[in-house]
Amino acid sequence: MALRNPISQLTTRASPATISKLICLPSISSWKQNNAVQSRSFATPVPPVTQDATGSKGPTAMVFMNMGGPSKTDEVGDFLSRLFADGDLIPLGRLQNYLGPLISKRRTPKIMKQYAAIGGGSPIRKWSEYQAAEMCKLLDKLSPETAPHRPYVAFRYANPLTEEMYHKLLADGFGNGKGGRAVAFTQYPQYSCSTTGSSLNELWKWRQRLEGKSAGASDILSSANDGTIKWSVIDRWPVHPGLVDSIALNIEDQLATYPEDVKKDVVLLFSAHSLPMSVVNRAGDPYPAEVAATVYAVMQRLKFSNPYRLVWQSQVGPSAWLGAQTSHTVENYIAKGQKNLVLIPVAFTSDHIETLYELDEEVIGESGHKDTIKRSESLNGSPVFIQALADIAKAHLESGESCSSQMGLRCPGCKSERCAESKKFFAGQEIGRAGAA
Amino acid sequence: MALRNPISQLTTRASPATISKLICLPSISSWKQNNAVQSRSFATPVPPVTQDATGSKGPTAMVFMNMGGPSKTDEVGDFLSRLFADGDLIPLGRLQNYLGPLISKRRTPKIMKQYAAIGGGSPIRKWSEYQAAEMCKLLDKLSPETAPHRPYVAFRYANPLTEEMYHKLLADGFGNGKGGRAVAFTQYPQYSCSTTGSSLNELWKWRQRLEGKSAGASDILSSANDGTIKWSVIDRWPVHPGLVDSIALNIEDQLATYPEDVKKDVVLLFSAHSLPMSVVNRAGDPYPAEVAATVYAVMQRLKFSNPYRLVWQSQVGPSAWLGAQTSHTVENYIAKGQKNLVLIPVAFTSDHIETLYELDEEVIGESGHKDTIKRSESLNGSPVFIQALADIAKAHLESGESCSSQMGLRCPGCKSERCAESKKFFAGQEIGRAGAA
């Protein structure tokens, strides 16, 4: 599989501007200025620890949840069949079991070609495993009490699946009467029921199958001391200053490639995966508003240096989706004579088919203006981003919270019993605070 | 006309918590902490000035733009006919001149009853005139160089209309060969082409009629020294810390009315006027994302004390609008057993029919839970809000900018020539900086 950005080449790919910024780490001080609520101290020196040193509250499993993608083209069929079987992502109601396989089978050859075009598979597994491992190393230093932090990846539609991750957790000595602490850390910065919500429902399902005495609510209260894993959830982090900073740095790198006289008029197009309007309107999914919050925070960090718009990509099928669509927007701006555009992936943190194929090959590749329409890098191996992940995790471990108060609130129009039970389970976990006596 | 909150009773209506907060003015220091980019210094002592003292760059006309509302029930017909004639707000295409009058005539009796129910008219004129006058007093102290600041109100659909305001400006000694400076200050915190955009197009139209030598673009460049009014625009301020603080203070006042044991579980429902999906999807209107930015900033200010959702109100007609709808959301939460709700007006700053009738009488009044479903106050005469307006205006006068770089960017799908010309005019105005030598 050919990665666009092999991890080993990370430092050679970073621009001089980025490297100097990384060395000086201005991001950390600016996080604090810009965002007193969310910033955390990095400055406290801590004694060196290794992955083998165990703090008073360690070890801690750090489980990165994401949708995943096929690592090889022959995994595309399985990937799509899981994706279209997921009623949280693509609600087909009673027809799910019938229509899901039909649609996925029909789309498989086309999507296989797309994965072939980006090098034979999605890089999301490599990036996720790299990000999780690197974050855990930082976290061992930042939060020695909960060390060692063990990295796990759980994908919703590709290997390693949630089931595989859970079996690994049990084999590694978590649960099975031995208790232990695990953090489900969503890698979607903004919460949607169709992404993070779906991953949590899947995690809850496997937890009940592999650790629950019954699938009912009765075991929730007793789970504190019964030797099962204590779960907590990092369910959203849309404006964490490190996320914002890492996106902004990548935008600045792209802006630096334009001639000085046009630079300030380059239009920034933040592009997020769209949602069907049925999800937005009926259920009141929080995702569009949280994506908008990310975009506004990035523009504040950039001091509104350029005009911008938030647009939405990857719409499929005939029903109404949230827009304006990324591809239409690019076409419309070209028609208006505005050909200096930077596309910015804002809702996924690693490269995947929607950046490498849809944006790079289709939207940019077919625009006729590949020289002036560009894309900012995905966060992938960005050290600023990985530092941000560690900061978010540290704050969570210190908070003693099982999840955000926002996660406990169901969408107004939600009818899913699975969602209700899953939320009740995670919100009901009693978690001790790291740092508390 | 009976105002719900007569201005004279402002101090008696404010809760003790609000009053103590206002006296201590914690908001100002917290603005700086929370938002280094937008905060401005208030601490510099300035010599006292009066409305008659003229600074080196004064006088300055401060024009508050808003949609307006009928002050008496017999103005409802005219108000609605102007509203449905506005293609920026309600795009009916070629049928505008035919359908507009039909719809407005049909709706007039119903809307007259609604205005009768809230005391016979909209309080928006009184509030706007009060806010503008009070802000100008503060601004005279904060920006003596551009003093005196003269308050004007220009409504899009009710008296005083833009035309009336412009004639008043000319009569007061602005323009007509004498030049002078005017600031078009939108009172919609978040920019939409259907609100601020429409008001600016109307302002541009009357400027061309009353001051333009021609309606073409040729006079734009020569306008700097031809004795016409120099216009600049404050086109959006969705996360100004003073706006955020004033909304948050009103929410805290409502939360304080709930028993301590349920307080943290009260659901905050931020409610903004919706838009047709045709505007959202085809044109890429920036409004939904900016409203979401306001909501997120308020929640940061509240330290995410409560679960919340952003919902959308006032949908009319059969076409698709952005949701989830406020009324449906309230019904759905009641059905789920969640009856502690605070509705928060987040896109209008003064009371109007959508708060006083739609939220108070319909959504809350008909919910069957008037004791636990409440509404936070509109900003109206809030001193923290008026201080924020002065701070925004001062920063604008110091910036030397004619408008934001964001305003210059047309929506990707926009086909309006009026919009293109209006934006070109305002972005092309050359404005001197207050505070510059």
Side-chain angles (χ1 to χ4, degrees), chain A residues 281 308 323 333 336 410 414, chain B residues 281 323 333 336 406 410 414:
Chain A
N281 277 357
Y308 71 97
Y333 275 132
K336 281 191 161 60
R410 290 176 68 196
C414 177
Chain B
N281 276 356
Y333 275 132
K336 281 191 161 58
Q406 185 68 339
R410 290 176 67 198
C414 176

Side-chain angles (χ1 to χ4, degrees), chain A residues 33-35 238-239 267 277 281 284 289 292 296 300 307-309 321 323-324 329 332-333 336 406 409-412 414, chain B residues 33-35 238-239 267 277 281 284 289 292-293 296 300 307-309 321 323-324 329 332-333 336 406 409-412 414:
Chain A
Q33 284 170 14
N34 292 338
N35 201 315
V239 300
V267 175
M277 282 310 295
N281 277 357
Y296 208 88
Q300 285 185 303
Y308 71 97
R309 280 290 187 283
W321 285 57
T329 303
N332 280 326
Y333 275 132
K336 281 191 161 60
Q406 184 69 339
L409 179 68
R410 290 176 68 196
C411 290
C414 177
Chain B
Q33 283 170 13
N34 291 338
N35 202 316
V239 301
V267 175
M277 282 311 295
N281 276 356
Y296 208 87
Q300 284 185 304
Y308 71 98
R309 280 290 188 283
W321 285 56
T329 303
N332 279 327
Y333 275 132
K336 281 191 161 58
Q406 185 68 339
L409 179 69
R410 290 176 67 198
C411 290
C414 176

Side-chain angles (χ1 to χ4, degrees), chain A residues 282-321:
Chain A
R282 259 176 285 163
D285 194 278
Y287 171 80
E290 293 189 9
V291 174
T294 305
V295 171
Y296 208 88
V298 172
M299 290 310 304
Q300 285 185 303
R301 159 65 180 72
L302 293 173
K303 298 190 173 150
F304 296 92
S305 61
N306 289 70
Y308 71 97
R309 280 290 187 283
L310 166 56
V311 290
W312 305 88
Q313 69 177 82
S314 314
Q315 174 172 338
V316 287
S319 67
W321 285 57

Side-chain angles (χ1 to χ4, degrees), chain A residues 60 62 139 143 146 149 181 183 232 392-400 431-435:
Chain A
T60 309
M62 301 300 300
L139 208 47
S143 179
T146 48
H149 302 88
R181 172 86 197 269
V183 176
S232 67
I392 293 163
K394 177 181 189 286
H396 174 76
L397 291 167
E398 280 175 353
S399 74
I431 306 299
R433 276 189 193 188

Side-chain angles (χ1 to χ4, degrees), chain B residues 267-341:
Chain B
V267 175
L268 305 180
L269 291 180
F270 293 88
S271 185
H273 203 293
S274 187
L275 281 184
M277 282 311 295
S278 59
V279 174
V280 175
N281 276 356
R282 259 177 283 163
D285 194 279
Y287 171 80
E290 294 189 8
V291 174
T294 304
V295 171
Y296 208 87
V298 172
M299 289 310 304
Q300 284 185 304
R301 158 65 179 73
L302 293 173
K303 299 192 173 149
F304 296 93
S305 62
N306 289 68
Y308 71 98
R309 280 290 188 283
L310 165 57
V311 291
W312 306 89
Q313 69 177 84
S314 314
Q315 173 172 338
V316 287
S319 67
W321 285 56
L322 183 62
Q325 286 190 54
T326 306
S327 55
H328 293 174
T329 303
V330 170
E331 286 163 16
N332 279 327
Y333 275 132
I334 291 172
K336 281 191 161 58
Q338 175 54 267
K339 291 160 195 163
N340 295 317
L341 305 170

Side-chain angles (χ1 to χ4, degrees), chain A residues 18 21 27 31 189-190 237-255 268-271 291 293-299 301-302 342-349 375-380 382 384-385 388:
Chain A
T18 300
K21 281 167 191 159
S27 55
W31 292 3
Q190 306 91 4
W237 31 286
V239 300
H240 184 276
L243 170 73
V244 168
D245 205 23
S246 55
I247 296 173
L249 286 167
N250 286 356
I251 295 171
E252 286 171 338
D253 279 348
Q254 283 305 316
L255 285 174
L268 305 180
L269 291 180
F270 293 87
S271 185
V291 174
T294 305
V295 171
Y296 208 88
V298 172
M299 290 310 304
R301 159 65 180 72
L302 293 173
V342 174
L343 300 174
I344 302 140
V346 72
F348 281 105
T349 58
R375 177 172 70 79
S376 71
E377 286 291 327
S378 296
L379 301 181
N380 294 340
S382 155
V384 177
F385 171 60

Side-chain angles (χ1 to χ4, degrees), chain A residues 57-262:
Chain A
K57 301 194 174 177
T60 309
M62 301 300 300
V63 181
F64 275 29
M65 301 189 306
N66 212 334
M67 67 181 301
S71 292
K72 301 173 197 160
T73 50
D74 60 14
E75 292 173 8
V76 168
D78 282 350
F79 172 76
L80 289 182
S81 75
R82 289 186 200 105
L83 196 136
F84 283 96
D86 181 9
D88 289 326
L89 181 71
I90 298 161
L92 300 172
R94 289 180 188 176
L95 297 174
Q96 195 93 40
N97 290 338
Y98 171 72
L99 282 180
L102 260 184
I103 302 173
S104 64
K105 201 166 175 186
R106 199 168 152 188
R107 287 181 65 82
T108 296
K110 182 182 164 191
I111 305 296
M112 281 179 78
K113 276 187 203 157
Q114 295 184 359
Y115 277 101
I118 65 165
S122 167
I124 194 168
R125 180 170 187 164
K126 284 215 171 175
W127 284 125
S128 297
E129 288 174 347
Y130 175 78
Q131 290 157 348
E134 292 297 305
M135 183 203 74
C136 283
K137 287 184 203 165
L138 291 175
L139 208 47
D140 284 351
K141 292 183 188 138
L142 291 168
S143 179
E145 198 179 15
T146 48
H149 302 88
R150 307 282 190 204
Y152 297 84
V153 169
F155 285 149
R156 183 68 185 84
Y157 314 112
N159 297 318
L161 292 165
T162 306
E163 176 183 7
E164 183 184 334
M165 176 280 300
Y166 217 113
H167 280 295
K168 198 156 175 283
L169 265 184
L170 297 172
D172 287 352
F174 292 90
N176 270 335
K178 293 192 286 288
R181 172 86 197 269
V183 176
F185 190 167
T186 183
Q187 293 301 302
Y188 305 101
Q190 306 91 4
Y191 187 95
S192 169
C193 297
S194 56
T195 57
T196 299
S198 172
S199 284
L200 287 171
N201 289 347
E202 185 74 0
L203 177 62
W204 172 75
K205 183 181 87 179
W206 284 105
R207 188 267 168 202
Q208 298 307 84
R209 285 191 190 172
L210 299 175
E211 287 209 288
K213 284 176 224 111
S214 75
S218 58
D219 68 331
I220 293 173
L221 296 175
S222 64
S223 70
N225 300 309
D226 63 358
T228 60
I229 298 169
K230 281 190 195 173
W231 281 98
S232 67
V233 186
I234 301 175
D235 51 82
R236 72 200 74 205
W237 31 286
V239 300
H240 184 276
L243 170 73
V244 168
D245 205 23
S246 55
I247 296 173
L249 286 167
N250 286 356
I251 295 171
E252 286 171 338
D253 279 348
Q254 283 305 316
L255 285 174
T257 67
Y258 289 88
E260 209 51 46
D261 58 326
V262 303

